[in-house]
Amino acid sequence: MARTTRTTRTTRTTRTTRSAALAAAAAVALTALTGCGAADMTRQASPYADAKGSRTVTLSVQSWVGAQANVAVAQYLLEHELGYRVDTVQIDEVPAWDALSQGRVDAILEDWGHPEQEKRYIDDKATIERGGDLGVTGHIGWFVPTYFAEEHPDVTDWKNLNKYADEFRTAESGGKGQLLDGSPSYVTNDKALVKNLDLDYQVVFAGSEAAQITQIRQFAKEKKPFLSYWYKPQWLFEKVPMTEVKLPAYEEGCDADPQKVACAYPHTPLQKFLNARFAAGGGDAAAFLKKFRWTTEMQNDVALMIADEKLSPREAAARWAKRNEATWRSWLPS
């Protein structure tokens, strides 16, 4: 998941590996969730992308589970209802825009906002087209476990965070409170926020969404306090209830200068994007992807099956499709 951007210019996480053990665990977890190996696929192209006259589609799949859920369902329906071969390529968020522009992938199904890439590839080069809303609104924030917020209600106001810095301190946070982030490939405002809000905290990177989830679940198991960058929609809220800390209110443009950010993250309607040639000549597949639109609850349903029930993405998609035919039938070309 978050993220590499999770809102406007801004927003996805940024993280550095915390330890060899965590990195290894993250790699194993990510492999289990995606079915992909740990190899860097950023520069790899699918042999089926932008294939002239063939019924093939290549989808970019990001590392967080919500994005995997989108791709799993789209792949299942493209294959079983429309007769396409579907290939997936795992690429980080910003490089995915380059790959989409070049025709190395045909579509991105969940983007959290990349204004610079939109201007370059949509407005200036016209190599990418908008594919419409995914139907899901994303939001990044800082969260504490609800069990801690219930005991200390004032922790949900950022102005009181320094009061609790000692309780959030870990061995990795250098004597300060820990603000846990996830993958280094995501974009985040957290370091700037800590500095500009004069908070006695250190941003610590878990290394991936999977590693961050492992850390959060361990904290929750032991009923320990923690402060974490996290995002909605995300299935983990079903397993570890968390309460958002109120940061200074977001206003349009308050995050324009990444060094001066001192406001909350916005709420972002998540978007789909298609390669321009594919959008024009991709037939039923392109029409289907433009109409693909579901809810946060639906995405979380599939993500939970993948991440918590340990179903493969294909199995989760098949189960969801069986239960929700009335929804996906409306996505098929008439």
Side-chain angles (χ1 to χ4, degrees):
M1 61 233 141
R3 19 178 116 167
T4 308
T5 286
R6 276 201 178 254
T7 74
T8 55
R9 158 239 81 103
T10 60
T11 58
R12 270 213 155 216
T13 80
T14 195
R15 319 152 187 193
T16 97
T17 308
R18 298 192 33 183
S19 68
L22 273 181
V28 171
L30 183 57
T31 299
L33 293 179
T34 65
C36 300
D40 177 12
M41 300 185 70
T42 298
R43 294 179 177 82
Q44 297 184 23
S46 162
Y48 308 102
D50 200 25
K52 304 297 187 292
S54 65
R55 292 181 67 79
T56 62
V57 181
T58 299
L59 302 177
S60 171
V61 56
Q62 286 86 8
S63 63
W64 59 94
V65 181
Q68 295 163 18
N70 305 325
V71 171
V73 170
Q75 178 176 5
Y76 181 85
L77 294 173
L78 282 165
E79 291 177 345
H80 288 79
E81 297 298 324
L82 297 176
Y84 283 83
R85 176 194 171 105
V86 179
D87 198 29
T88 62
V89 180
Q90 185 180 328
I91 312 179
D92 286 340
E93 288 183 75
V94 172
W97 279 80
D98 302 328
L100 187 63
S101 174
Q102 296 161 12
R104 292 191 285 123
V105 298
D106 296 317
I108 295 171
L109 299 186
E110 181 175 315
D111 185 84
W112 287 64
H114 291 81
E116 293 178 7
Q117 282 70 29
E118 289 179 37
K119 182 179 186 308
R120 179 182 304 126
Y121 293 126
I122 297 176
D123 300 337
D124 298 342
K125 294 187 175 183
T127 54
I128 293 176
E129 289 189 10
R130 301 181 190 280
D133 287 352
L134 176 63
V136 176
T137 296
H139 175 60
I140 296 171
W142 292 359
F143 291 85
V144 295
T146 298
Y147 56 76
F148 188 78
E150 289 175 346
E151 294 179 359
H152 309 279
D154 62 335
V155 75
T156 59
D157 186 333
W158 72 269
K159 295 177 182 177
N160 299 318
L161 284 177
N162 281 345
K163 173 181 174 182
Y164 295 99
D166 284 347
E167 296 201 51
F168 293 133
R169 185 171 54 197
T170 68
E172 291 83 8
S173 61
K176 298 184 177 183
Q178 175 177 279
L179 172 55
L180 181 65
D181 273 44
S183 167
S185 67
Y186 299 163
V187 176
T188 176
N189 297 330
D190 284 0
K191 286 188 176 181
L193 283 167
V194 166
K195 178 182 177 182
N196 296 330
L197 297 178
D198 196 24
L199 297 176
D200 190 26
Y201 283 78
Q202 176 70 39
V203 177
V204 175
F205 301 107
S208 70
E209 182 187 65
Q212 191 175 10
I213 288 171
T214 297
Q215 285 287 292
I216 289 173
R217 297 191 84 161
Q218 186 62 36
F219 282 133
K221 181 180 180 180
E222 299 173 7
K223 291 294 183 182
K224 290 183 177 180
F226 64 85
L227 175 65
S228 184
Y229 168 111
W230 205 233
Y231 35 85
K232 297 180 179 181
Q234 224 292 335
W235 63 270
L236 186 62
F237 286 103
E238 299 292 328
K239 300 297 180 179
V240 181
M242 289 181 273
T243 300
E244 187 169 5
V245 174
K246 294 180 181 178
L247 294 170
Y250 176 83
E251 296 180 1
E252 190 68 33
C254 69
D255 54 358
D257 186 336
Q259 303 303 316
K260 297 180 179 179
V261 178
C263 61
Y265 293 92
H267 290 77
T268 304
L270 306 183
Q271 301 295 306
K272 300 169 292 177
F273 293 93
L274 278 58
N275 172 272
R277 290 190 302 273
F278 173 74
D284 287 349
F288 165 80
L289 292 174
K290 291 175 184 177
K291 296 177 74 173
F292 183 108
R293 181 184 174 93
W294 63 350
T295 66
T296 295
E297 291 73 23
M298 291 174 180
Q299 187 191 78
N300 277 341
D301 186 21
V302 178
L304 195 62
M305 285 189 270
I306 295 170
D308 192 60
E309 297 180 34
K310 306 305 181 185
L311 271 65
S312 71
R314 187 176 296 274
E315 290 170 335
R319 181 183 293 184
W320 183 88
K322 184 177 181 180
R323 297 172 177 171
N324 294 274
E325 183 172 353
T327 296
W328 59 257
R329 282 285 174 195
S330 66
W331 306 340
L332 301 180
S334 55

